[in-house]
């Protein structure tokens, strides 16, 4: 009897060890059933919040520590897209308030549309500026941040929630919005040789003139001048990438009012 009891205890311990290992692995990598469950909960949350719309899973991510993230997208509204997280299969939270209701999605999308227009203007008005593709997954050459504030609470980011009426869901970018909310134009310019402050001032003046001549009064300009050298010259001048980056000239956010 004692031998049977020991075998049973050993078997139970083995099962517990296996379950513990499975849970440990699941905590780091996730599993398809839990992910499917999280996606179902995310869709259910979306359809509850917006019962007049249909949703699909745009992407899912994470899975570590029993946390699953899902991005849901409305089939009829571009800007009605938000993240939903599920912890331990039961606890679900969403970011619909921040991303949809506070108009972050709309603000970001309008900024991308405005950036596309600005890139075309600069190609026409300032062809001498060689812009580097650095912003976003599509490697845009221009970033336009709308409702952007440099100071105060939440400094250094956009605040569309303060003027949601200017960011209607799925509304197209209208250049007149630049007269109603502060904005920041960011770009990087490839520069032959080592840039100087005078070079930076000239670029800022060129940008401001091009923008205002086309009815785009940007509030702040944030420019990087990036020195460009041949591979041989680069190897000769710099012992490390850090030394090279030290020669990149950054303006920081400069108010248009101070550019003359």
């Amino acid at each position: 009897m004692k031998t049977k009891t020991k075998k049973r205890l050993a078997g139970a311990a083995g099962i517990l060890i296996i379950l513990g290992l499975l849970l440990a692995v699941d905590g780091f990598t996730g599993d398809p059933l839990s992910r499917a469950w999280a996606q179902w909960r995310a869709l259910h949350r979306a359809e509850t919040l917006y019962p007049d719309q249909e949703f699909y899973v745009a992407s899912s991510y994470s899975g570590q520590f029993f946390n699953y993230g899902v991005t849901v997208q409305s089939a009829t509204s571009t800007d009605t897209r938000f993240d939903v997280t599920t912890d331990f299969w039961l606890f679900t939270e969403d970011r619909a308030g921040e991303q949809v209701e506070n108009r972050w999605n709309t603000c970001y999308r309008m900024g991308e549309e405005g950036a596309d227009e600005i890139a075309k203007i600069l190609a026409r008005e300032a062809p001498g500026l060689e812009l580097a593709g650095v912003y976003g997954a599509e490697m845009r050459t221009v970033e336009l941040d709308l409702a952007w504030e440099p100071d105060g609470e939440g400094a250094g980011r956009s605040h569309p929630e303060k003027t949601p009426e200017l960011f209607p869901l799925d509304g197209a970018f209208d250049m007149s919005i630049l007269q109603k909310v502060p904005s920041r134009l960011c770009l990087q310019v490839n520069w032959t040789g080592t840039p100087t402050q005078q070079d930076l001032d000239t670029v800022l003046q060129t940008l401001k003139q091009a923008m205002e001549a086309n009815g785009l009064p940007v509030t702040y300009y944030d420019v990087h001048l990036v020195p460009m050298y041949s591979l041989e010259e680069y190897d000769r001048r710099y012992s490390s990438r850090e030394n090279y980056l030290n020669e990149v000239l950054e303006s920081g956010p400069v108010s248009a009012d101070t550019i003359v």
Side-chain angles (χ1 to χ4, degrees):
M1 291 297 293
K2 289 182 179 180
T3 302
K4 289 183 178 181
T5 300
K6 289 180 179 179
K7 288 182 177 180
R8 289 172 181 171
L9 290 175
I15 292 173
L16 289 174
I17 290 173
I18 292 172
L19 289 175
L21 290 173
L22 289 174
L23 284 173
V25 172
D26 194 18
F28 282 101
T29 64
D31 68 85
L33 289 178
S34 296
R35 188 173 303 281
W37 171 250
Q39 292 176 357
W40 181 88
R41 289 181 68 87
L43 290 172
H44 179 70
R45 174 66 66 93
E47 291 166 357
T48 300
L49 292 173
Y50 303 97
D52 58 332
Q53 301 186 49
E54 294 184 3
F55 287 84
Y56 61 89
V57 173
S59 64
S60 62
Y61 49 92
S62 189
Q64 290 188 329
F65 308 114
F66 310 103
N67 173 280
Y68 293 83
V70 179
T71 301
V72 289
Q73 171 70 61
S74 167
T76 55
S77 170
T78 299
D79 294 342
T80 306
R81 180 185 71 259
F82 56 95
D83 297 322
V84 182
T85 57
T86 297
D87 288 308
F88 295 99
W89 303 285
L90 296 176
F91 306 103
T92 301
E93 295 183 352
D94 66 77
R95 297 180 61 196
E98 173 190 356
Q99 295 174 309
V100 181
E101 301 305 322
N102 284 350
R103 299 297 192 263
W104 168 247
N105 289 343
T106 305
C107 180
Y108 182 80
R109 176 186 53 76
M110 283 187 177
E112 287 189 324
E113 293 175 2
D116 288 341
E117 292 299 317
I118 291 174
K120 295 175 184 176
I121 290 171
L122 293 180
R124 182 181 68 248
E125 303 282 344
L129 297 181
E130 182 185 344
L131 305 184
V134 292
Y135 299 106
E138 299 177 1
M139 294 296 286
R140 298 174 181 272
T141 57
V142 174
E143 176 184 339
L144 178 63
D145 301 319
L146 299 173
W148 188 86
E149 299 180 5
D151 304 309
E153 185 177 355
R157 64 182 181 87
S158 297
H159 290 275
E161 74 280 1
K162 294 184 178 181
T163 53
E165 69 280 2
L166 298 179
F167 298 94
L169 286 175
D170 306 314
F173 170 76
D174 186 337
M175 65 177 61
S176 66
I177 196 172
L178 295 177
Q179 300 173 352
K180 302 171 184 177
V181 298
S183 57
R184 180 180 65 161
L185 176 64
C186 302
L187 47 82
Q188 292 190 13
V189 180
N190 293 329
W191 200 260
T192 302
T194 304
T196 66
Q197 183 61 46
Q198 184 177 354
D199 294 329
L200 184 57
D201 292 340
T202 299
V203 170
L204 290 170
Q205 292 166 0
T206 300
L207 291 172
K208 180 182 178 181
Q209 290 170 3
M211 292 298 95
E212 295 186 351
N214 287 273
L216 294 167
V218 173
T219 314
Y220 300 96
Y221 293 84
D222 198 336
V223 178
H224 290 57
L225 298 188
V226 183
M228 300 298 293
Y229 299 101
S230 66
L231 183 59
E232 293 78 9
E233 180 70 5
Y234 177 89
D235 290 338
R236 186 183 68 82
R237 292 176 62 92
Y238 304 108
S239 59
S240 67
R241 180 169 174 78
E242 182 180 355
N243 290 338
Y244 168 73
L245 293 176
N246 286 335
E247 289 196 4
V248 174
L249 196 57
E250 304 177 17
S251 70
V254 178
S255 172
D257 295 337
T258 65
I259 300 174
V260 295

